[in-house]
Each structure stands twice: as C-alpha cells, then as structure tokens.
Amino acid sequence: MATVTPHDVQQAASLLQPFILRTPLLESLALNLMTKARIMVKAENLQTGGSFKVRGALHRVLKLSPTEKAKGVIAFSSGNFGQGLAAACGQLSDPPVQCTIVMPGDTPMAKQTRARSYGATVVLSNIVPGINREVTAAELAEELASTHKYTLLHPFEDPDVIAGQGSCGVEICQQCQEQCNLDTGPDMLLIPTGGGGLAAGCALAVHAVYGDAVSMYAVEPEGYDDHRLSFAQGSRVGLTGNPVSLCDSLQAVSPGKNTFPITRRLLAGALVVNDSEVRNAMKVAFETLQLVLEPGGAVGLAAVLSGKCGDVEGKTIVVIASGGNTDYEKFSTIMGGGSTCRSSSSSGGVESKL
Amino acid sequence: MATVTPHDVQQAASLLQPFILRTPLLESLALNLMTKARIMVKAENLQTGGSFKVRGALHRVLKLSPTEKAKGVIAFSSGNFGQGLAAACGQLSDPPVQCTIVMPGDTPMAKQTRARSYGATVVLSNIVPGINREVTAAELAEELASTHKYTLLHPFEDPDVIAGQGSCGVEICQQCQEQCNLDTGPDMLLIPTGGGGLAAGCALAVHAVYGDAVSMYAVEPEGYDDHRLSFAQGSRVGLTGNPVSLCDSLQAVSPGKNTFPITRRLLAGALVVNDSEVRNAMKVAFETLQLVLEPGGAVGLAAVLSGKCGDVEGKTIVVIASGGNTDYEKFSTIMGGGSTCRSSSSSGGVESKL
C-alpha cells in the first residue's frame, strides 16, 4: 500500500501553484442568513477543467520521468478526471504531453469535443479499429497502455494524484487564515467523495494545520455510500448493484485502497444525501452564490441544507464545491425533477465517470 | 460638477478592502479556445450582494458623518443598488446603519425579501400609509428623506459611489500583474454600463496604471445606448421611449453628469449588444465558466462573442461580469427565449432598476 504524507501534499501544492487557479473561498450573505451558519464555499467548479480533478492529474503529469512524458499518458474516464487530465496535458504542460482518454461509447459528444479541444486523443471503447470484441473502457486503456507504452493514470489510487488533490485543502487552510482570521480552523469541512482522493488529500492538509479541531466528513450520494459502510465496518466495503443517482461524478463502489487508510484515520464520518437534496442544493448555489454546480459538486451544500450535519447554527463550515461540469440542458432537466441514469454497462465500471 | 480622481479611487479601494470580496479574475480554457483570445472575467457576480454595487454603496456609507450615520440612509431601487446598499448597511457596517429602500410596487417578492433579510426597511411606492396619491419611487424616497432626515443616495452620480465602484478596477490591475504578469495591461477592458458609475470608476483606476495602452469600452444593451450616442455627439444624450430589453440592470436613459466627463475622456467608445447576444453569453458563461450571470452582467462577454470588439484573436481581454442576481426561474425563461419586460411606469424611472 502506497502512503501519502502531509509533506507530500504541501509539496504538491507548491509544485502546482504556478499552473492552477487558487479557487476562491466564497461566502453569501443570503446563504449565511438562510442557514444561521457561516458557510464558506471552496469553489472548485471554477477550477481549470471545471473541477478539482486537474490538481491530481497535473501533479501526476509533472512527476512523470522524461521518458514517460515522451511516451504519453492514458486514462479511462467519461467525466471530470478525463477533462482534468486532458487540460493538464494539453494546455498546462509545456511542452504538451500526449494524452489519450478512453471513454465509453455513450459519452455525450460535448465531453468528447471538449477533451479533444484541450488536445487529447479520445478513443471510444466500443469503436476500436482492430479489436473485434467487446471491451470495457478500463480493459481498452490497459491494452493501449501496454501496446504504446503509455503511462496509465488512475483517478484516485495514485499517491501523486491524492497529494495533488490535497492542494485544495492547503489552499483552504491558507484562505481561512487570510480571509477570516480563523486561526483555529472552521468547525466542519464537508468533502464530496467518490473514490476518496479529494477527501484523503484534503484531510491530510487540514489535519496537519488544525489537528482534530475540524470535524471532517465525506459526503456521498444515496446508493454510493461505500465510505459510510466502510467506516462502520472498519474495512473497505464494495457495493454491488447499479442504483440511479444524479451524482454521476461520485459513483465509486468502494473506497480506494490507498485513500481509505487516510480517510478512516482522519475523517469524523460520512454523510449521505439523496437526489432531491442535491437538486435543492444546486438551486440554492445558483441563486445565492451565483455558481453552477454539477450534482456531485453540490453534495456538501446539500448536507448542510438538509440538516445532515446536525444543528449548524453559529458554526463555521467549509464546503468544497468540487465541480461544475454540466451543460445548461442537463441542468435544466435536473431542475425540472428529471433524474439522469447511471452510466450504461458498457462504461467499463464506475471509475469511468470519475 | 463633482470630480473624482484616481487618488480617490485608490483610497476607496483601501478603505473597502477589509469588507468586500476581492472577486476572482477567472479564465476558462474552453472559452479561450472558443474565442482564440485570452478572456479574463472579473466575476463581480460573486461579490457580496450579487453585484459590484455594494462597492460604491458601502464606500458612501463609510464616508457618512456620525450624524448622518445615526439618521440612516435611503435609496430608490428595485435592483442591484438596493441589494448592495441593504447589504452594506445591514451586514457590513458595524454598527449597522438604518437603511430604507423604496421599490416600485411590482418588484418581485424575492428581491424585497432579500433586502429585508439584510436588515433594510422596504417601502413600496404604491403602498404608502398616509400618502393618498400616486408617487414614483424617486419622489417617495425624496419625501421620506426630507421627513426623516435620511441621507438620499444616488446609484451613480455620487462621487463616493463612483470612487467605490472604481475599486473593481484597482483589483483588476493588481490581479493582471499578480496572476498574469501583464505589466503592460490587457489589450481591452469591457465594462457593462448603465449610468456609468462602474465605467467611470474603473476607467480612472485602469488609466492611472496603464495609460492609453488599454482600450476601454462601455457595453450597453440595445435600446439603452445612451453612452454610444453621447460619445458620438460629444455631450450627454437623453433617451426617450421604453424599449424592451433583457438587461434590467442597465436601463439608464442618460450618462450621469458626473460620470460622463470621465468616461468621455478615458473610454475608447461604447459597444451595443442585443438580447439574443446577451442570452448566448449567459449560456456560454454557464457552460464554460460555471458562473450565473444576469443579463446586464453578461453584456461584456456578449460583445466578445458576437464580434462587436472586432477580431480578438491573440488578444487579452478583461471582461467585467458585473452581476448575477437572477433566480433560476427567470434564468430559465430567458434561456427559453422569453424576454422580460421593462419595468412598469410606476417604477419611478430607470434608476429604480440600477
């Protein structure tokens, strides 16, 4: 098992600083009055590539050896990790690093197009010249990596990715001290959680500064509460089934093997929110913060607004708004009460959406 | 005629700094690739109160004499200036300053409720105890100011308000140098313009740092192009009529008498965008910047996307996104192609929406 230390996270933050946006820690008077709490929103939806994922992706790319850089990288993802990696390789690296993203065949054209616009090669897992059988995106990525000597990148297991995501937590600590004189830290930190890369990285960063003074929670969508179950059992639980959830970016079925030892040690627990609570949080973010959040990016705010954090009156709560990659039509469908389906079985497993 | 100097603007920025958000100067890879330019968006929609208006309002309030502070202030506005002033007086001033906002009777309940939640007293101009005749919001505000010795605040004519709005320009200059090493400044600055307070204040700030190197433009909605006409004529033109426009926050009918001498001297001109261009810009901001903009807040981006700035390839353009106060239903109606009407005749004139 690979370990990640607070020092690794701090180093990652320094390395990334010239390349990424230090996203704002935002407050809304209206939201504070509504909740009777002080809600500080770390707006990672404004990050390059539309989510925090570029942090870990770029950190991993910066740590590649010269030979690995020359050969290029590959990942399987229809979601934010793919967008973040494409942006990291094609736009933020100088010179650019060749990048292939394997997406399931049913990935919306807008996501394919945007990854291509960043400079990535997009391969659809059901349309593969020279391969005459059904393969998942994961299998295909492994085959292509092996054939072309690409470095295969994992969205949350890689220690360099975890350390990179933690740079978000480093910024939160800096911003709490700079903007708010919060020397003792906020009362609570809420982290949207799929595989646990963001949660593990940020927990390391925040615990290093504030110790146990900040109660940190993973927030998961209903049906994908693998962290909650794993914390209760004391070991990694794997979910089965294929429940419907709006939160396509948080559909991990098990905590990562490298993230879980960290999150188990440092988090106070996991909170679970349902689609209706997520939809409401997206609307509140729109109207009080003027931010567009994707469903997975809104689970932290949903936990506050739905009372899942208990009585928050008078408390200071940092909420990570982890991403905002949604087009208007999809947002509008969600606001209308429609639910999007889980990725089809051709997607090569849950990680393809991460 | 009252004058405002670059020094006044600099002083205002220092005075305001502890109280307001230094809004981020955001970039989007997708937007840059789409426009082949470097577009830097000053996200004033994220400002306290949902628009830049709190800057000027709070600056004016901070400059009140102790006696004036004790008596309280009043303004007539159904829009962003009212929200900003309510926030400044009720939430940012310590101790709070009593604040009355006169709104036309047809002001949406959400805006009334939010101003009240900040601590303001809201008076509707068609429901006035003890006044048995039709009065406009402007007339009523003057009457109440006279009766109660309130200080009546104007959304763009007051020199302290103009200087306060200019703090946005001071931040833009700082952020260009910090984030982008743009020692010579951007090529262009686009400023949404109603009465011209933001344009005048920001022009003073940016010209003081970069001189004539930055081409600065007021951007106005079709039907409210009073700056364009006034620049052409060399003196303040007053519009008549009541054209329909999505941009309810920019419906001034004449440049301010204190703003025009500044904007005429420092701006390169005025650009005009129509509702369809504004609607498109709101959608692009939603999908590439993850920002919610109100129509008036999107006119700068609309000018870039519609080609009104000419060929922008390779240029660096700072766009002020001046506000984001819209609820989801209204946004959704606009996206569906619906147009909102100009304020009713009971509104007391155009300034009520500013």
Side-chain angles (χ1 to χ4, degrees), chain A residues 114 287 290 292 324 327-328 332, chain B residues 287 290 292 324 327-328 332:
Chain A
R114 187 160 292 179
E287 295 187 343
Q290 283 71 50
V292 176
D327 57 26
Y328 175 71
S332 160
Chain B
E287 296 187 342
Q290 283 71 50
V292 177
D327 58 25
Y328 176 69
S332 159

Side-chain angles (χ1 to χ4, degrees), chain A residues 170-241:
Chain A
V170 172
E171 291 176 8
I172 288 171
C173 295
Q174 292 167 349
Q175 291 169 310
C176 281
Q177 289 166 338
E178 288 168 11
Q179 285 177 216
C180 330
N181 302 318
L182 277 182
D183 288 338
T184 57
D187 296 298
M188 210 178 279
L189 172 64
L190 302 177
I191 315 168
T193 300
L198 181 65
C202 288
L204 285 168
V206 174
H207 190 266
V209 173
Y210 295 121
D212 295 329
V214 183
S215 298
M216 298 188 275
Y217 289 88
V219 188
E220 300 179 298
E222 202 169 80
Y224 295 90
D225 55 345
D226 45 294
H227 280 82
R228 186 182 69 78
L229 294 168
S230 301
F231 290 154
Q233 181 178 300
S235 62
R236 293 166 65 218
V237 170
L239 302 174
T240 52

Side-chain angles (χ1 to χ4, degrees), chain A residues 6-352:
Chain A
H7 180 72
D8 296 332
V9 174
Q10 196 66 52
Q11 292 275 94
S14 302
L15 204 58
L16 288 171
Q17 185 270 322
F19 301 100
I20 60 168
L21 180 67
R22 192 201 207 212
T23 54
L25 189 63
L26 297 171
E27 275 190 87
S28 155
L29 290 178
L31 182 59
N32 286 350
L33 291 165
M34 183 189 294
T35 57
K36 298 183 179 156
R38 183 174 189 185
I39 310 295
M40 307 175 73
V41 175
K42 179 66 171 167
E44 283 293 300
N45 61 320
L46 304 178
Q47 186 55 266
T48 303
S51 85
F52 73 96
K53 289 280 186 182
V54 75
R55 296 175 179 270
L58 180 61
H59 186 235
R60 182 67 187 88
V61 169
L62 292 171
K63 300 276 245 156
L64 290 172
S65 72
T67 312
E68 289 171 326
K69 272 190 188 157
K71 295 279 187 190
V73 302
I74 191 167
F76 53 97
S77 165
S78 68
N80 287 336
F81 185 69
Q83 302 295 319
L85 184 61
C89 290
Q91 303 292 317
L92 306 178
S93 298
D94 185 22
V97 173
Q98 197 202 323
C99 170
T100 303
I101 311 289
V102 183
M103 299 184 178
D106 59 354
T107 302
M109 187 56 71
K111 292 199 173 184
Q112 301 178 34
T113 304
R114 187 160 292 179
R116 286 197 180 98
S117 80
Y118 294 155
T121 300
V122 172
V123 178
L124 299 181
S125 61
N126 58 349
I127 308 171
V128 188
I131 297 186
N132 294 318
R133 59 189 168 73
E134 274 282 319
V135 289
T136 65
E139 288 165 349
L140 179 58
E142 277 175 34
E143 285 197 23
L144 291 173
S146 165
T147 307
H148 299 281
K149 311 292 177 221
Y150 297 151
T151 300
L152 177 61
L153 302 189
H154 192 281
F156 57 80
E157 288 293 20
D158 192 306
D160 286 326
V161 172
I162 297 170
Q165 315 302 30
S167 65
C168 176
V170 172
E171 291 176 8
I172 288 171
C173 295
Q174 292 167 349
Q175 291 169 310
C176 281
Q177 289 166 338
E178 288 168 11
Q179 285 177 216
C180 330
N181 302 318
L182 277 182
D183 288 338
T184 57
D187 296 298
M188 210 178 279
L189 172 64
L190 302 177
I191 315 168
T193 300
L198 181 65
C202 288
L204 285 168
V206 174
H207 190 266
V209 173
Y210 295 121
D212 295 329
V214 183
S215 298
M216 298 188 275
Y217 289 88
V219 188
E220 300 179 298
E222 202 169 80
Y224 295 90
D225 55 345
D226 45 294
H227 280 82
R228 186 182 69 78
L229 294 168
S230 301
F231 290 154
Q233 181 178 300
S235 62
R236 293 166 65 218
V237 170
L239 302 174
T240 52
N242 193 20
V244 171
S245 169
L246 285 178
C247 301
D248 55 4
S249 58
L250 299 179
Q251 293 177 355
V253 292
S254 171
K257 66 179 189 298
N258 292 325
T259 61
F260 185 66
I262 300 168
T263 53
R264 188 191 171 194
R265 179 164 59 88
L266 298 179
L267 298 193
L271 307 171
V272 180
V273 293
N274 64 33
D275 275 0
S276 162
E277 291 158 348
V278 166
R279 187 181 293 116
N280 178 55
M282 291 169 72
K283 186 156 189 279
V284 169
F286 186 106
E287 295 187 343
T288 68
L289 290 155
Q290 283 71 50
L291 292 180
V292 176
L293 301 186
E294 64 184 80
V299 295
L301 187 56
V304 174
L305 296 171
S306 64
K308 299 286 166 72
C309 307
D311 182 6
V312 297
E313 186 166 343
K315 290 189 178 159
T316 299
I317 302 177
V318 173
V319 175
I320 301 179
S322 51
N325 279 321
T326 175
D327 57 26
Y328 175 71
E329 278 67 29
K330 188 172 172 192
F331 190 93
S332 160
T333 304
I334 293 170
M335 285 300 112
S339 175
T340 55
C341 292
R342 193 182 181 292
S343 57
S344 77
S345 58
S346 71
S347 71
V350 67
E351 288 165 7
S352 67

Side-chain angles (χ1 to χ4, degrees), chain A residues 283 286-287 328-337, chain B residues 246 279 282-283 286 292-295 325-340:
Chain A
K283 186 156 189 279
F286 186 106
E287 295 187 343
Y328 175 71
E329 278 67 29
K330 188 172 172 192
F331 190 93
S332 160
T333 304
I334 293 170
M335 285 300 112
Chain B
L246 285 177
R279 188 181 292 118
M282 291 169 72
K283 186 155 189 279
F286 185 105
V292 177
L293 301 186
E294 63 184 83
N325 279 322
T326 174
D327 58 25
Y328 176 69
E329 278 67 29
K330 187 172 172 193
F331 190 93
S332 159
T333 303
I334 293 170
M335 284 300 112
S339 175
T340 55

Side-chain angles (χ1 to χ4, degrees), chain B residues 3-20 22 55 59 62-63 159-175 177-178 200-210 262:
Chain B
T3 57
V4 187
T5 69
H7 180 73
D8 296 332
V9 174
Q10 196 66 52
Q11 292 274 93
S14 303
L15 204 59
L16 289 170
Q17 184 270 322
F19 301 99
I20 60 167
R22 192 202 207 212
R55 296 175 180 270
H59 185 236
L62 291 172
K63 301 276 246 162
D160 286 327
V161 171
I162 297 170
Q165 316 301 30
S167 65
C168 176
V170 173
E171 291 176 9
I172 287 171
C173 295
Q174 292 166 350
Q175 290 170 312
Q177 288 165 338
E178 289 168 12
C202 288
L204 285 168
V206 173
H207 190 266
V209 174
Y210 295 120
I262 301 168

